[in-house]
Amino acid sequence: MKHKFDSNLPIYLQVMEEIKKDIINKKYVLGDKIPSVRELALYYGANPNTIQKALSELEREGLLRSERAVGRYVTDQKERISVLKKEASDTIVENFIRNMKEIGFTKADIIKIIEKSKL
Amino acid sequence: MKHKFDSNLPIYLQVMEEIKKDIINKKYVLGDKIPSVRELALYYGANPNTIQKALSELEREGLLRSERAVGRYVTDQKERISVLKKEASDTIVENFIRNMKEIGFTKADIIKIIEKSKL
Amino acid sequence: MKHKFDSNLPIYLQVMEEIKKDIINKKYVLGDKIPSVRELALYYGANPNTIQKALSELEREGLLRSERAVGRYVTDQKERISVLKKEASDTIVENFIRNMKEIGFTKADIIKIIEKSKL
Amino acid sequence: MKHKFDSNLPIYLQVMEEIKKDIINKKYVLGDKIPSVRELALYYGANPNTIQKALSELEREGLLRSERAVGRYVTDQKERISVLKKEASDTIVENFIRNMKEIGFTKADIIKIIEKSKL
DNA sequence: GTGGTCTAGACCACT
DNA sequence: GTGGTCTAGACCACC
C-alpha cells in the first residue's frame, strides 16, 4: 500500500508526521516495538534509507529508541507521549488561525465557517 | 526586510502564497501594477530568479498578467479574484479539520479549542 | 589525497573528528566558509552522502551552520569554539588515564612514561 | 551485570579489550581456565556468538588456547603475557600523545595537564 | 556550483 | 532478519 506524499515536502518529514500520528492514535503503543525499517519502507513505498532518516530523527526527538539488531520501540516515557498530542494540536491550531487571519477572517468568522463545514 | 521562509518548502511556493494573500487583502488591487521583480527580491530577501518563478506561476494561474517591458499587473478579471478568498479558506479549513481529526479530535472538540484559543 | 580511516569506526564520525580538529587548529576560522561537500568528499576519499552526514551532525552540535545553495560556515559563536579545545582534551585525557589505570599504572607511572616517550 | 559498550565499535573488539585487561591485571592467571562462553555472555550482556568471536580472535592472537570439550585457558607462554602490558601501554600512550598534539598541545603541555588531573 | 533529498543496492555486526 | 553505514548516481531548488 503506497502512501501518497506531497512532492513539495521531504518524504522523511512526512513519514515522521505519520508515525507521530500513529503514536498519538495509539496504533503504536507506549513501549511497543514498531515495524522494521524494511516493513515501513514497503508500507510507505519509500526507500529504506529514507525511512531510517525519519526514524533517526524521531529517536533524536526522544519518541523512539532503537535496539541494535533487535528493533525500534516507542519510548516508554509517559510524559513525553502525553504532551505529544497537545503539541501537535497547538501547532495545527495556531497555523490555522494565523492563515485565516492573514486572509482577512476574524475569530468569529472562523468559528462560523467550521460549524458550517460538512467534514 | 528579509522574510522568514520555511526551509523545507520551495521558496517560490511560499512567495506565491504571500502574493496571493496580498491580492486577497487588497494590498495589490485589481488591475494595479505590482512591484518589480527586483523590488520583490529585495523585499523578500530572495533571489530574483526565485521571484520570477513565483510570478510566472501566478501568471499561469491567471492571477497576474505581464506587459512586456512595462510591468506585471493583477488580473482585472473580477470573478477570478472574487473566488480567490473562498478557494484559499476552503483549502485551509479542509486541511485543518483533516489534520485535527487525524490526531483524534471531533468537530465538537475542534470548535471548543478554537473558542478557547487566545489568538 | 585519501584519508586513512579506521575501518572499525563509522567514517562519518571520523570525519567529524577531523573537522573539529581543523576548527580547533584554526585551519577553518570562526565564521569562515568551509569547503563544499563535494570537495571534502574528494579530499577524504569518501562519498558525498557520508560527508553530508558528518556535516549535518556538526551542524546539530552547533559548530557549523549551512546556507542553502551558498555553503557551510564555521559558527561565529566565539564561546562555542573556545570550549571546544577544552572539551576535546578533557575527553582524551580522561580516556587515557582510565585506560592506563585499567591496566595497572598509577598516575606517577603515567607521568614517567610520557616523559620518557620519544614522540 | 550488563557491560556498557560503545555502540559505534564492534562489541567483539570491546570484549577482547576487556579480557586482555583481565589477563594483564591477573584476574585471569597464566594457564588458568577462563569462564565459559555462556558465563561470559551473561556477564557482558552480549550474545554468545559475539563472545565466541572475541575468544576466537584472542586465540588467533595466541593469548588463549582452547581444549575441546574442556574449556579455554590463558596461554602459558610466559613471554607472550609479559609483553602484553607493554604493548598495550605503548599503544595507549602513542594514541594519546598523537591525539593531544593534533589539537595543538606540546609534550610539556601534556605533562602539566596530567599532573593537574584529579583522576 | 551548493546544500538537500532520494533511490537502489550492498555489506556489517549482532540476535 | 534487524539496525546502521556506505557507495554511486541522480534530481531539485537556489544563487
Side-chain angles (χ1 to χ4, degrees), chain A residues 1 58 101 113:
Chain A
M1 173 173 163
L58 290 171
K101 290 203 168 171
I113 289 173

Side-chain angles (χ1 to χ4, degrees), chain D residues 12 16 48-58:
Chain D
Y12 80 93
M16 284 175 69
N49 292 325
T50 307
I51 303 294
Q52 188 80 26
K53 184 162 183 181
L55 298 182
S56 303
E57 281 298 309
L58 289 170

Side-chain angles (χ1 to χ4, degrees), chain B residues 33-93:
Chain B
K33 196 165 154 184
I34 65 168
S36 73
V37 168
R38 193 174 304 178
E39 284 172 308
L40 289 169
L42 226 91
Y43 175 74
Y44 284 115
N47 189 284
N49 291 325
T50 306
I51 303 295
Q52 188 79 29
K53 184 162 184 181
L55 299 181
S56 302
E57 281 299 309
L58 289 171
E59 243 171 79
R60 243 188 15 85
E61 291 189 6
L63 277 169
L64 300 180
R65 86 192 136 72
S66 73
E67 276 182 36
R68 201 198 279 288
V70 180
R72 273 198 177 75
Y73 296 83
V74 179
T75 183
D76 43 15
Q77 304 168 40
K78 264 196 169 177
E79 318 90 48
R80 189 74 192 76
I81 298 293
S82 67
V83 293
L84 194 56
K85 185 170 175 177
K86 178 93 179 76
E87 278 175 6
S89 71
D90 280 359
T91 308
I92 294 170
V93 171

Side-chain angles (χ1 to χ4, degrees), chain A residues 2 6 9 14 18 25-26 31 36 43 47 52 63 66 68 71-72 75 80 88 95 100 104 111 116 119:
Chain A
K2 283 228 177 190
D6 176 346
L9 219 61
Q14 299 180 58
E18 289 301 313
N25 292 328
K26 296 180 182 168
S36 75
Y43 175 74
N47 187 281
Q52 185 105 23
L63 279 171
S66 78
R68 216 198 187 26
R72 272 197 176 80
T75 183
R80 190 74 191 76
N95 285 335
M100 290 298 275
I111 291 172
K116 274 190 216 155
L119 298 174

